[in-house]
Amino acid sequence: KGLEFPVVFLTGLEDGTFPHLRSMGSMDELAEERRLAYVGITRARERLYLTRAAMRSAWGTSNALPESRFMSDIPDEVIDWQRRESATDALRQSAWGGSFTSTWASPVVRWKSETTSAPPQKKYREAAKEPARSSAKPHPASSYAPPPAAPAYESQFSIGDRVSHDSYGLGKVVALEGAGHNAVARVDFGTTGTKRLVLRFAPLTKL
């Protein structure tokens, strides 16, 4: 199977959405989600649109989730970046006089190289030099209130800490990644292997 459709859209490409948060602590479940991503990607015959949310609301809280790890599996030379930032970031940039910098992006993957007139990396660099465009009326800078800082979940743990997990049992923290809502701990649980746990959701207790 494959190449059934000329154009395919894949959405929600953030760690925590796709792959789903519940799959990120299990290598087997993560592998299954990666297989699903592969199935979706290979349905596209000419173009594949990949999108992600700069902010996503869940359980009454807005969260900034990192880019899906599945994005790194796609070769850079077939990606044509069409949009660097969300509408919210564009408004902030206008309100702050162009001082705001964003790394959010939405790519179009074109399997046929002849459909692009310039290398994707060059297009991305040129787009970064252009001022943000937005049809919305900019808000005054004084009306914008930055969101509250995320709790420092990662400060509760250090590499080498002994911890207990409700499902996996006793383990040892071997690495810490990210900060705030995106903080992740890699924990070695011995016989059950090393798990990658999002700290704000993981039932993890320091011993």
Side-chain angles (χ1 to χ4, degrees):
K1 293 183 178 180
L3 307 179
E4 286 92 341
F5 308 101
V7 180
V8 170
F9 292 81
L10 289 184
T11 64
L13 283 166
E14 312 111 30
D15 270 4
T17 304
F18 190 34
H20 194 275
L21 182 65
R22 289 194 296 267
S23 301
M24 293 168 60
S26 167
M27 296 302 294
D28 290 339
E29 293 181 12
L30 188 60
E32 176 62 17
E33 296 242 333
R34 188 180 298 276
R35 187 191 69 81
L36 293 175
Y38 174 81
V39 169
I41 288 172
T42 54
R43 302 305 91 170
R45 186 165 62 246
E46 296 176 6
R47 292 189 182 183
L48 169 68
Y49 287 83
L50 306 174
T51 67
R52 56 168 292 211
M55 298 290 294
R56 187 173 292 279
S57 296
W59 308 103
T61 303
S62 294
N63 301 309
L65 299 176
E67 180 180 277
S68 172
R69 63 195 64 197
F70 299 153
M71 288 291 296
S72 61
D73 296 335
I74 303 175
D76 291 339
E77 59 269 20
V78 300
I79 297 181
D80 180 14
W81 296 95
Q82 297 292 305
R83 184 176 175 186
R84 294 188 63 248
E85 58 191 11
S86 68
T88 301
D89 286 349
L91 288 175
R92 290 176 182 171
Q93 187 176 26
S94 299
W96 293 352
S99 61
F100 184 83
T101 301
S102 170
T103 57
W104 186 87
S106 176
V108 179
V109 179
R110 306 170 190 256
W111 299 130
K112 297 182 179 180
S113 58
E114 62 269 18
T115 60
T116 59
S117 57
Q121 295 87 344
K122 181 179 179 181
K123 288 189 176 182
Y124 185 85
R125 287 194 295 269
E126 291 175 349
K129 298 177 183 178
E130 298 177 358
R133 298 183 178 88
S134 175
S135 59
K137 183 179 180 180
H139 295 291
S142 59
S143 67
Y144 174 74
Y153 295 97
E154 71 281 3
S155 64
Q156 304 172 28
F157 302 94
S158 300
I159 295 176
D161 283 349
R162 305 295 299 180
V163 295
S164 175
H165 187 278
D166 290 354
S167 299
Y168 302 127
L170 300 178
K172 180 180 179 180
V173 178
V174 296
L176 293 169
E177 306 168 5
H181 288 311
N182 300 325
V184 172
R186 291 185 181 274
V187 182
D188 183 0
F189 290 102
T191 56
T192 57
T194 299
K195 307 296 182 182
R196 189 174 184 271
L197 306 173
V198 179
L199 291 179
R200 63 191 172 101
F201 294 119
L204 205 61
T205 303
K206 184 176 178 179
L207 299 179

